[in-house]
Amino acid sequence: MNRPGSTIAAVATAVAAGVGSVAIVRISGPQAQAVGQRVFRPTGKRQPVWESHRVLYGHVVEPASGQVLDEVLLLYMQAPRSFTGEDVVELHCHGGVVCVQRVLEQVLTNGAEAAAPGAFSQRAFLHGRLDLTQAEAVAQVISARSRRAAGLALAGLDGGIERRIEGLRQQLLEQLAQLEAHLDFEDDLPPLRPEAVKKKIQEVVKDLSHLVKDSLQGQSLQQGLRVAIIGCPNVGKSSLLNYLGGRDRAIVTDLPGTTRDTLETEVVLRDVPITLVDTAGIREASNPVEKLGIARSRQVLKQVDLIILLFDVHLGWSEADQALANELPEDVPHLRVGNKVDLLDQSRYQANGGSNDALKSSLAISSITGQGMEAFTDAFFRCCGLTDLERLDISLNRRQTSMAQKAIEALTRLETTAQAGLPWDFWTIDLRDAIHYLGEITGKEISENILDEIFSKFCIGK
């Protein structure tokens, strides 16, 4: 991370060659105004007054030569009324790589240092502008891949997570205060009933457990699911991928073995971002290229959240389908789906395949007509454990969930201590641990090293 008290700068917007009309170079720190004044030249003869939250128009120049580098708008925000809580200068220049790079180079040459990833958000936290959950929510808002994920991230940015966690932490602090008071002044206070303390602790554990359970679903909204579509050659895997993706991404033919490699497409189903992986048909092959695709398919199966096992319902469940089913990893949920139901002769199905348990227990869809897709989507989300997404109002991220789980473990140990009839001072040990873990979620109790680790995962400029 950057040195404390330094003035930092970075590009605060996404920049790509030839893309975007405006880019922002952000400067934050005690020398932000001085750096801005070195590189910025306002238009007109009169030197404007640098008032906070006022926009100035002019050019970024090379101070030594006076060469104009770009036409810009400058926004000055005086501490503490800025995102970081420090003096901030933003240079709104033309988008694209060349212009913004020239502006940033001059800023860095004239007194600022390059901001580390997450440096602006970390300073906002350190100056009390954001609590830690809000700072982390900033990154989640930026990376949200669906509207629902963005809504959950904004709830965190609005302080929803901090209020819930801090409320639970305060309940534990109240219990700790009572226990410590009885340790020091037991003769002067009314008796403290263990059952009453245990009930309060159990209520906190219950609330934390609900938060953890909800957050596992919320993380699927934020990070998305990875789903493999697998099946014997020519059962319609590519057709299903194209249907769900809404465009022809995979090659669809009547020839077996058309897909020689894994193909991926991003879709959003019911506000959940999903990466669909179309795999090469798993079978014995002699072609070296096809062998490589099949090997990759096998590896994919171990790295996904769900496997869709597709078979041709028109032809019925075959020995090859069963052999493929036997190869599926036991620890990855899978959904058996019969495709090409639009080609199915119902009378022939009843005569020849109607008694097949594999067919009876499977979903039947058509990736051409869309038949059965609603039931397929319902089953899809049930297999992934996403059954109550509409109820979610906040969601902890992975780090926060880990801390909440540690707090639950500490409180569970406390209950064991209570059942063993140990004195109050033994209760306080696990209670303090739980309070500490909840404090790590909001940033009330956290070390500098952990902070650096958290913010280092942010993008540069945020």
Side-chain angles (χ1 to χ4, degrees), residues 33 49 79 103 157 371:
Q33 181 179 5
V49 177
V103 171
L157 189 59
Q371 182 179 343

Side-chain angles (χ1 to χ4, degrees), residues 302-437:
K302 302 175 183 179
Q303 302 169 341
V304 296
D305 300 294
L306 175 68
I307 299 169
I308 298 174
L309 175 57
L310 204 64
F311 69 97
D312 189 337
V313 73
H314 176 240
L315 299 178
W317 185 259
S318 67
E319 291 183 2
D321 294 319
Q322 185 59 50
L324 184 56
N326 294 339
E327 292 195 38
L328 299 182
E330 294 183 359
D331 57 342
V332 179
H334 64 274
L335 184 64
R336 186 176 293 175
V337 181
N339 192 26
K340 304 186 181 182
V341 70
D342 54 308
L343 301 180
L344 186 63
D345 183 328
Q346 292 296 331
S347 60
R348 175 171 167 269
Y349 166 67
Q350 292 295 335
N352 299 328
S355 62
N356 191 320
D357 290 339
L359 292 173
K360 285 182 176 180
S361 62
S362 305
L363 290 164
I365 66 165
S366 170
S367 55
I368 301 300
T369 67
Q371 182 179 343
M373 284 298 179
E374 190 67 23
F376 163 76
T377 306
D378 289 340
F380 178 101
F381 283 108
R382 281 198 303 273
C383 281
C384 295
L386 305 180
T387 57
D388 202 14
L389 291 176
E390 292 300 321
R391 185 181 54 81
L392 291 182
D393 54 354
I394 63 170
S395 175
L396 309 182
N397 63 25
R398 286 186 184 276
R399 184 195 72 84
Q400 295 160 356
T401 301
S402 175
M403 292 299 106
Q405 289 172 325
K406 288 182 178 181
I408 291 172
E409 291 168 4
L411 296 176
T412 303
R413 292 195 303 270
L414 187 153
E415 191 163 347
T416 302
T417 298
Q419 290 173 350
L422 295 175
W424 293 125
D425 50 348
F426 285 89
W427 294 42
T428 63
I429 297 172
D430 295 319
L431 194 52
R432 285 195 186 94
D433 284 346
I435 291 168
H436 174 81
Y437 291 130

Side-chain angles (χ1 to χ4, degrees), residues 11-270:
V11 181
T13 49
V15 177
V19 178
S21 59
V22 176
I24 298 174
V25 173
R26 176 182 289 159
I27 313 166
S28 179
Q31 296 300 311
Q33 181 179 5
V35 172
Q37 289 174 335
R38 291 186 195 115
V39 302
F40 177 75
R41 294 293 180 271
T43 57
K45 297 181 179 179
R46 296 179 58 187
Q47 186 72 17
V49 177
W50 280 52
E51 296 178 1
S52 184
H53 294 78
R54 178 181 178 183
V55 177
L56 303 178
Y57 167 70
H59 298 89
V60 169
V61 301
E62 185 179 10
S65 65
Q67 178 188 359
V68 173
L69 302 179
D70 197 12
E71 180 185 36
V72 302
L73 294 176
L74 181 146
L75 175 60
Y76 172 53
M77 292 167 278
Q78 193 172 34
R81 296 173 56 209
S82 71
F83 174 72
T84 62
E86 302 176 321
D87 283 356
V88 169
V89 170
E90 289 187 350
L91 297 167
H92 296 233
C93 52
H94 287 97
V97 174
V98 176
C99 285
V100 71
Q101 193 61 40
R102 295 176 77 189
V103 171
L104 179 60
E105 286 174 358
Q106 282 307 306
V107 168
L108 297 179
T109 301
N110 284 276
E113 64 179 60
F120 295 104
S121 295
Q122 183 168 0
R123 291 190 176 198
F125 166 72
L126 293 173
H127 288 103
R129 292 281 290 115
L130 301 172
D131 68 67
L132 190 54
T133 64
Q134 290 175 308
E136 290 180 290
V138 172
Q140 290 180 304
V141 169
I142 294 171
S143 62
R145 296 163 59 190
S146 71
R147 295 188 180 192
R148 189 80 175 88
L152 280 177
L154 285 170
L157 189 59
D158 193 41
I161 294 175
E162 194 274 343
R163 287 191 292 273
R164 287 281 290 276
I165 295 298
E166 188 58 23
L168 296 174
R169 183 170 172 269
Q170 286 301 321
Q171 292 180 45
L172 296 182
L173 283 169
E174 290 173 8
Q175 297 306 310
L176 179 62
Q178 285 193 59
L179 293 178
E180 291 183 333
H182 275 76
L183 286 173
D184 294 334
F185 309 105
E186 187 171 6
D187 295 337
D188 302 325
L189 294 172
L192 185 60
R193 294 186 299 112
E195 290 303 318
V197 177
K198 284 169 58 178
K199 183 180 179 181
K200 292 289 186 181
I201 299 298
Q202 288 167 352
E203 289 174 357
V204 173
V205 170
K206 182 180 179 180
D207 287 346
L208 280 175
S209 298
H210 283 312
L211 271 177
V212 168
K213 182 180 177 181
D214 288 348
S215 295
L216 296 177
Q217 296 197 65
Q219 287 164 27
S220 295
L221 278 172
Q222 183 68 33
Q223 299 167 8
L225 298 171
R226 189 169 176 83
V227 178
I229 305 175
I230 193 167
C232 293
N234 207 33
V235 296
K237 300 187 299 296
S238 298
S239 296
L240 178 58
L241 183 143
N242 288 337
Y243 180 90
L244 295 173
R247 61 185 184 276
D248 291 338
R249 170 72 183 273
I251 301 171
V252 180
T253 75
D254 292 329
L255 300 175
T258 300
T259 302
R260 297 294 183 86
D261 201 354
T262 56
L263 300 171
E264 296 187 5
T265 192
E266 295 280 342
V267 302
V268 176
L269 292 178
R270 297 182 182 176

